[in-house]
Amino acid sequence: MGISRVDQLYRSIVLTKFFRKGWGAPEDLKRLFDFRKIISRRDLCQDLVDKHHPIVVDKVTNSFRGTKIIDGHFTSPLVQHLPGLLPRASETSHFQLIIPTVWKTEDRPICIHMAGTGDHHFWRRRYILAKPLLFENNVGSLLLENPFYGVRKPAEQYRSSLLHVADIFIMGGALILESIALLRWLENEGYGPFCLHGISMGGHMASLAATNWPKPIAVAPCLSWTTASDVFTRGVLSGAISWDCLEDQFLSDSRFQSEVVPMIYNNSDAYLNGKNFDRNLMDFKTTVARLLSSKYVIIPEWVSPILSGKLPGNGDLMKTHDKWIHEKISTSTSKRQQQRLEALTFMHAIMDECTHLKNFSVPVDTEMVSVVTARDDAYVLRDDVQSMEEVWPGCSVNTTNYGHISAYVLYQVHFRHAIVNSLNMLRAKYNLDGSPKFEVQSL
């Protein structure tokens, strides 16, 4: 896999910085980590959203070529479960449903499109995804506004640059619950079958939402992968992060290391911890190697024992390595290097904790999942990362010969094909209520 020069160039001319106000309060991260253990289980997540969560239709507009546009809003269910974490501007979810005035098929398929980074409001998805899907394939679309985006953007936030690392986890939790509310509403209104789709960050949000729907559902995540950890620590987006602020905050507030870090490393079901020491050692060595391959940190001499497998001690890796690695970091000659490695390691760990698909339920039927990736993607790195096929066995993965930006600009028709193909597979195998069309007869 190569690295797209277009991706590198595009990122170099975008000067905005992410996470300018740091990680977020330690107590907020702790609340989010506890909530992740609930929202990541499909059986528990169902009770977090009322079966008839109030959805308000604000306006119905008859547009051109037999198109009907329905604008609506509702209160995000996350407000009830994690009060105070969503900014006031983000508490109300806004959506736009685009459907034909007259359906040409017996069913009424709807694709929910999650917004990618920088995709504010609805116009972009409406013109490049929703209208072509409607006119060419008779598929309706529901465009959901992300928290922290568009009319849900806090006044102090500049464009798409989230102020805190915690905001990305808040966004994900809100979108999971909001998707459940919308899918139930759509079902009650007589729509279906359904597909969840998004590009880049939107693709990952669509994947997370799919883990908690209790029926088979089509999923078409594009230009995303199994975790966001490498996006923020090794991909070109890592150069747009306010590392100085994150480093200073992590080391100056003892609660991050004394209270937040143990919640990750002592979490028995977390991906980085696992249950097998050998697998833990392999994962951690790979993680350190990937972090240190970043251009933002110089490889210190004390790392070689980790990479050669000479990590002292036995038993649980995360308990064994903690004291040792901090002692080694403290002997490094560069203070800034110490701080950068601390921040990189913490960022990688919390991103895996809250975004790795391995930490969430597997969709009911992964054969309904059509993934589209870019071979030379410099934003979403896939080398040394668990693959979609490993995490969701049975899914299909189609790789384009582009980078991230080029694929977004040139490959939209293939993204739409992935949506339609997933919906057609769902139609062929399941009824609208989720029951299989062809029962397997036992001999």
Side-chain angles (χ1 to χ4, degrees), residues 23-47:
W23 304 97
E27 55 269 23
D28 290 345
L29 288 171
K30 291 165 63 179
R31 292 173 67 192
L32 286 164
F33 293 165
D34 282 335
F35 192 64
R36 200 281 301 164
K37 298 174 187 176
I38 300 172
I39 204 171
S40 61
R41 288 182 50 183
R42 185 162 52 242
D43 56 336
L44 298 179
C45 194
Q46 300 308 303
D47 296 329

Short mmCIF file of all heavy atoms in Angstrom, two decimals, residues 23-47:
data_model
loop_
_atom_site.label_atom_id
_atom_site.label_comp_id
_atom_site.label_asym_id
_atom_site.label_seq_id
_atom_site.Cartn_x
_atom_site.Cartn_y
_atom_site.Cartn_z
N TRP A 23 -8.01 17.13 26.05
CA TRP A 23 -8.68 15.83 26.05
C TRP A 23 -10.15 15.92 26.44
O TRP A 23 -10.95 15.07 26.05
CB TRP A 23 -7.98 14.89 27.03
CG TRP A 23 -6.53 14.69 26.78
CD1 TRP A 23 -5.50 15.35 27.40
CD2 TRP A 23 -5.93 13.77 25.85
NE1 TRP A 23 -4.30 14.89 26.90
CE2 TRP A 23 -4.53 13.94 25.96
CE3 TRP A 23 -6.43 12.85 24.95
CZ2 TRP A 23 -3.64 13.19 25.21
CZ3 TRP A 23 -5.55 12.10 24.18
CH2 TRP A 23 -4.17 12.27 24.31
N GLY A 24 -10.50 16.92 27.19
CA GLY A 24 -11.78 16.94 27.88
C GLY A 24 -11.54 16.62 29.34
O GLY A 24 -10.49 16.10 29.72
N ALA A 25 -12.50 16.91 30.18
CA ALA A 25 -12.33 16.69 31.62
C ALA A 25 -12.17 15.20 31.91
O ALA A 25 -12.87 14.37 31.31
CB ALA A 25 -13.52 17.25 32.38
N PRO A 26 -11.25 14.83 32.81
CA PRO A 26 -11.08 13.40 33.15
C PRO A 26 -12.38 12.74 33.58
O PRO A 26 -12.64 11.59 33.22
CB PRO A 26 -10.06 13.44 34.29
CG PRO A 26 -9.27 14.69 34.05
CD PRO A 26 -10.26 15.68 33.52
N GLU A 27 -13.22 13.46 34.34
CA GLU A 27 -14.48 12.87 34.78
C GLU A 27 -15.42 12.60 33.60
O GLU A 27 -16.20 11.64 33.62
CB GLU A 27 -15.18 13.76 35.81
CG GLU A 27 -15.43 15.18 35.38
CD GLU A 27 -14.30 16.13 35.76
OE1 GLU A 27 -13.15 15.66 35.94
OE2 GLU A 27 -14.58 17.34 35.88
N ASP A 28 -15.33 13.43 32.54
CA ASP A 28 -16.14 13.19 31.35
C ASP A 28 -15.66 11.94 30.61
O ASP A 28 -16.47 11.14 30.13
CB ASP A 28 -16.10 14.39 30.41
CG ASP A 28 -16.83 15.61 30.97
OD1 ASP A 28 -17.62 15.43 31.93
OD2 ASP A 28 -16.62 16.72 30.44
N LEU A 29 -14.35 11.78 30.49
CA LEU A 29 -13.81 10.58 29.85
C LEU A 29 -14.21 9.33 30.62
O LEU A 29 -14.57 8.31 30.02
CB LEU A 29 -12.28 10.68 29.75
CG LEU A 29 -11.73 11.68 28.72
CD1 LEU A 29 -10.23 11.83 28.88
CD2 LEU A 29 -12.07 11.23 27.29
N LYS A 30 -14.17 9.40 31.94
CA LYS A 30 -14.56 8.25 32.76
C LYS A 30 -16.03 7.89 32.54
O LYS A 30 -16.38 6.71 32.42
CB LYS A 30 -14.29 8.54 34.23
CG LYS A 30 -12.80 8.61 34.57
CD LYS A 30 -12.54 9.24 35.92
CE LYS A 30 -13.13 8.46 37.06
NZ LYS A 30 -12.84 9.08 38.38
N ARG A 31 -16.89 8.89 32.45
CA ARG A 31 -18.31 8.64 32.17
C ARG A 31 -18.48 8.00 30.80
O ARG A 31 -19.28 7.07 30.63
CB ARG A 31 -19.10 9.94 32.24
CG ARG A 31 -19.22 10.56 33.62
CD ARG A 31 -19.89 11.93 33.55
NE ARG A 31 -21.30 11.83 33.15
CZ ARG A 31 -22.04 12.87 32.79
NH1 ARG A 31 -21.49 14.09 32.77
NH2 ARG A 31 -23.31 12.72 32.47
N LEU A 32 -17.72 8.47 29.83
CA LEU A 32 -17.82 7.93 28.48
C LEU A 32 -17.32 6.48 28.42
O LEU A 32 -17.93 5.64 27.74
CB LEU A 32 -17.01 8.80 27.51
CG LEU A 32 -17.65 10.15 27.17
CD1 LEU A 32 -16.61 11.08 26.54
CD2 LEU A 32 -18.83 9.96 26.22
N PHE A 33 -16.25 6.16 29.13
CA PHE A 33 -15.72 4.80 29.12
C PHE A 33 -16.72 3.84 29.77
O PHE A 33 -16.92 2.72 29.29
CB PHE A 33 -14.38 4.73 29.84
CG PHE A 33 -13.26 5.46 29.12
CD1 PHE A 33 -12.07 5.75 29.77
CD2 PHE A 33 -13.40 5.86 27.81
CE1 PHE A 33 -11.05 6.43 29.12
CE2 PHE A 33 -12.39 6.54 27.15
CZ PHE A 33 -11.21 6.82 27.82
N ASP A 34 -17.34 4.28 30.86
CA ASP A 34 -18.36 3.44 31.49
C ASP A 34 -19.56 3.24 30.56
O ASP A 34 -20.11 2.14 30.46
CB ASP A 34 -18.84 4.08 32.80
CG ASP A 34 -17.86 3.87 33.95
OD1 ASP A 34 -17.10 2.88 33.91
OD2 ASP A 34 -17.85 4.69 34.88
N PHE A 35 -19.94 4.30 29.87
CA PHE A 35 -21.09 4.22 28.97
C PHE A 35 -20.77 3.35 27.76
O PHE A 35 -21.66 2.67 27.23
CB PHE A 35 -21.49 5.62 28.52
CG PHE A 35 -22.82 5.68 27.81
CD1 PHE A 35 -23.99 5.36 28.47
CD2 PHE A 35 -22.89 6.08 26.49
CE1 PHE A 35 -25.21 5.42 27.82
CE2 PHE A 35 -24.11 6.14 25.83
CZ PHE A 35 -25.28 5.81 26.50
N ARG A 36 -19.51 3.34 27.33
CA ARG A 36 -19.11 2.50 26.20
C ARG A 36 -19.39 1.03 26.47
O ARG A 36 -19.79 0.27 25.59
CB ARG A 36 -17.62 2.72 25.91
CG ARG A 36 -17.17 2.31 24.51
CD ARG A 36 -16.96 0.82 24.35
NE ARG A 36 -15.96 0.29 25.27
CZ ARG A 36 -15.82 -1.00 25.52
NH1 ARG A 36 -16.62 -1.89 24.97
NH2 ARG A 36 -14.90 -1.41 26.37
N LYS A 37 -19.23 0.61 27.72
CA LYS A 37 -19.46 -0.79 28.06
C LYS A 37 -20.93 -1.17 27.91
O LYS A 37 -21.26 -2.34 27.71
CB LYS A 37 -18.99 -1.06 29.49
CG LYS A 37 -17.51 -0.83 29.71
CD LYS A 37 -17.14 -0.96 31.17
CE LYS A 37 -15.68 -0.57 31.42
NZ LYS A 37 -15.34 -0.61 32.86
N ILE A 38 -21.81 -0.18 28.00
CA ILE A 38 -23.25 -0.43 27.84
C ILE A 38 -23.65 -0.32 26.38
O ILE A 38 -24.29 -1.21 25.82
CB ILE A 38 -24.07 0.56 28.69
CG1 ILE A 38 -23.72 0.41 30.17
CG2 ILE A 38 -25.56 0.35 28.47
CD1 ILE A 38 -24.34 1.47 31.05
N ILE A 39 -23.24 0.78 25.75
CA ILE A 39 -23.69 1.04 24.39
C ILE A 39 -23.07 0.08 23.38
O ILE A 39 -23.56 -0.06 22.26
CB ILE A 39 -23.37 2.51 24.02
CG1 ILE A 39 -24.30 3.00 22.90
CG2 ILE A 39 -21.92 2.68 23.62
CD1 ILE A 39 -24.19 4.47 22.63
N SER A 40 -22.01 -0.60 23.78
CA SER A 40 -21.35 -1.54 22.87
C SER A 40 -22.02 -2.90 22.85
O SER A 40 -21.68 -3.75 22.03
CB SER A 40 -19.88 -1.70 23.26
OG SER A 40 -19.77 -2.23 24.57
N ARG A 41 -23.00 -3.10 23.75
CA ARG A 41 -23.73 -4.36 23.79
C ARG A 41 -25.13 -4.15 23.25
O ARG A 41 -25.92 -3.38 23.81
CB ARG A 41 -23.78 -4.90 25.22
CG ARG A 41 -22.47 -5.44 25.72
CD ARG A 41 -22.60 -6.01 27.11
NE ARG A 41 -23.73 -6.95 27.23
CZ ARG A 41 -24.08 -7.53 28.37
NH1 ARG A 41 -23.42 -7.25 29.48
NH2 ARG A 41 -25.10 -8.37 28.40
N ARG A 42 -25.45 -4.85 22.18
CA ARG A 42 -26.73 -4.65 21.51
C ARG A 42 -27.91 -4.94 22.44
O ARG A 42 -28.93 -4.24 22.41
CB ARG A 42 -26.80 -5.53 20.26
CG ARG A 42 -28.03 -5.30 19.43
CD ARG A 42 -27.88 -5.83 18.02
NE ARG A 42 -27.45 -7.21 17.97
CZ ARG A 42 -26.31 -7.62 17.41
NH1 ARG A 42 -25.49 -6.75 16.86
NH2 ARG A 42 -25.97 -8.89 17.38
N ASP A 43 -27.80 -5.95 23.30
CA ASP A 43 -28.91 -6.30 24.17
C ASP A 43 -29.19 -5.20 25.19
O ASP A 43 -30.35 -4.93 25.53
CB ASP A 43 -28.63 -7.62 24.89
CG ASP A 43 -27.33 -7.61 25.68
OD1 ASP A 43 -26.42 -6.82 25.34
OD2 ASP A 43 -27.20 -8.40 26.64
N LEU A 44 -28.14 -4.54 25.67
CA LEU A 44 -28.32 -3.46 26.64
C LEU A 44 -28.73 -2.15 25.97
O LEU A 44 -29.48 -1.36 26.54
CB LEU A 44 -27.04 -3.24 27.44
CG LEU A 44 -26.55 -4.43 28.28
CD1 LEU A 44 -25.24 -4.06 29.00
CD2 LEU A 44 -27.60 -4.85 29.30
N CYS A 45 -28.23 -1.93 24.76
CA CYS A 45 -28.44 -0.66 24.08
C CYS A 45 -29.91 -0.45 23.70
O CYS A 45 -30.38 0.69 23.62
CB CYS A 45 -27.57 -0.59 22.83
SG CYS A 45 -27.41 1.06 22.11
N GLN A 46 -30.65 -1.54 23.48
CA GLN A 46 -32.03 -1.41 23.04
C GLN A 46 -32.90 -0.65 24.04
O GLN A 46 -33.85 0.04 23.68
CB GLN A 46 -32.63 -2.79 22.77
CG GLN A 46 -31.91 -3.59 21.71
CD GLN A 46 -31.72 -2.80 20.43
OE1 GLN A 46 -32.67 -2.33 19.83
NE2 GLN A 46 -30.47 -2.66 20.01
N ASP A 47 -32.58 -0.79 25.31
CA ASP A 47 -33.38 -0.15 26.36
C ASP A 47 -33.01 1.32 26.58
O ASP A 47 -33.64 2.00 27.38
CB ASP A 47 -33.22 -0.91 27.69
CG ASP A 47 -33.77 -2.32 27.59
OD1 ASP A 47 -34.72 -2.53 26.82
OD2 ASP A 47 -33.24 -3.22 28.29
#
